[in-house]
Amino acid sequence: MSTATADVADATPPKAAGKKKLIIIVAAALLLVLAGGGTGLFLLKKSRAAAEAEAEETDGKAVAKAKLEEEKVEEKRVPPIFVPLDPFTVNLADRDAERYAQIGVTLQIEDAKVGEELKLYMPAIRNNILMLLAHKTAGELLTREGKLRLAQEIRREAMRPLGITLQLDDEDPPAAGTKKKKKKAPVDYPVKAVQFSNIIIQ
């Protein structure tokens, strides 16, 4: 009987060792599942955060673009500012007959500050425009192209006293055999345009 008890006693430890191994395996598997789930959850949260950040950035860009478009619309709505000049009466450069012109000029400008600055330089501006008109002939002023050219030249002469030089499109064409210069970015000039209120040639 003592031999049977010894056999039973020897048989019990292996069952306990088997249970321990099973518990360790189950615990390790559970730990792996929890670690995998935690990693998956972390990656999911990370990808959600990245997606939200990207969505916010896209929304931010969309909002910035919308604001920029609103500002452009507001700029377009701002009425232009005009500075009318006293009418010019000048003898023209025609050689065949005594001809003169009476021309009313209005400058379209960028803002009121430019208008105040132009008033300070008005004697020089008027002088430049009178000198320009005195070199014109009736034939030049009667054509549409001549009037458009005159408007460009008056714009240039109006900005000279301010220290701004406007290069007209057809001035100084490149010499034959030379490379064309790259187009420069458009410059924002304070005098935007020249409007004629009247042109009388006699």
Side-chain angles (χ1 to χ4, degrees):
M1 209 162 165
S2 64
T3 312
T5 307
D7 288 339
V8 173
D10 289 339
T12 305
K15 282 185 179 179
K19 281 186 180 181
K20 282 184 182 179
K21 282 184 184 178
L22 182 62
I23 290 173
I24 291 172
I25 291 172
V26 169
L30 187 59
L31 190 60
L32 282 172
V33 168
L34 288 175
T39 304
L41 186 61
F42 175 75
L43 292 175
L44 183 63
K45 282 186 178 180
K46 190 174 180 181
S47 66
R48 267 193 202 162
E52 287 174 4
E54 187 177 330
E56 285 178 13
E57 185 178 329
T58 304
D59 289 345
K61 286 180 182 177
V63 168
K65 187 176 180 181
K67 282 183 181 179
L68 185 62
E69 287 176 5
E70 279 180 25
E71 288 172 4
K72 284 182 181 178
V73 168
E74 285 177 14
E75 282 179 12
K76 289 179 185 176
R77 288 184 193 156
V78 174
I81 298 172
F82 295 101
V83 175
L85 305 181
D86 291 336
F88 293 91
T89 304
V90 64
N91 288 328
L92 297 175
D94 288 281
R95 294 181 187 269
D96 57 344
E98 284 280 325
R99 303 202 75 175
Y100 73 93
Q102 184 179 21
I103 301 175
V105 175
T106 302
L107 303 177
Q108 182 178 339
I109 59 172
E110 188 173 42
D111 57 29
K113 182 180 175 186
V114 173
E116 294 302 318
E117 193 173 358
L118 285 176
K119 286 178 185 174
L120 296 174
Y121 291 98
M122 194 53 70
I125 292 170
R126 286 190 58 79
N127 176 66
N128 289 354
I129 295 172
L130 276 170
M131 296 300 281
L132 171 69
L133 292 172
H135 285 86
K136 295 291 181 182
T137 64
E140 290 173 323
L141 297 179
L142 288 172
T143 65
R144 177 179 170 76
E145 293 78 19
K147 290 178 178 89
L148 292 174
R149 172 72 181 179
L150 178 62
Q152 288 180 340
E153 291 172 342
I154 289 174
R155 183 175 175 222
R156 178 189 63 200
E157 295 303 324
M159 289 190 288
R160 269 197 184 154
L162 303 175
I164 300 169
T165 303
L166 173 67
Q167 185 76 29
L168 299 182
D169 295 335
D170 56 352
E171 286 185 338
D172 298 324
T178 59
K179 294 181 181 179
K180 288 186 177 179
K181 293 181 181 177
K182 292 181 181 177
K183 284 191 174 182
K184 294 180 182 177
V187 180
D188 192 24
Y189 292 109
V191 177
K192 300 295 182 189
V194 172
Q195 314 293 335
F196 294 115
S197 56
N198 67 327
I199 298 178
I200 301 170
I201 298 170
Q202 291 184 342

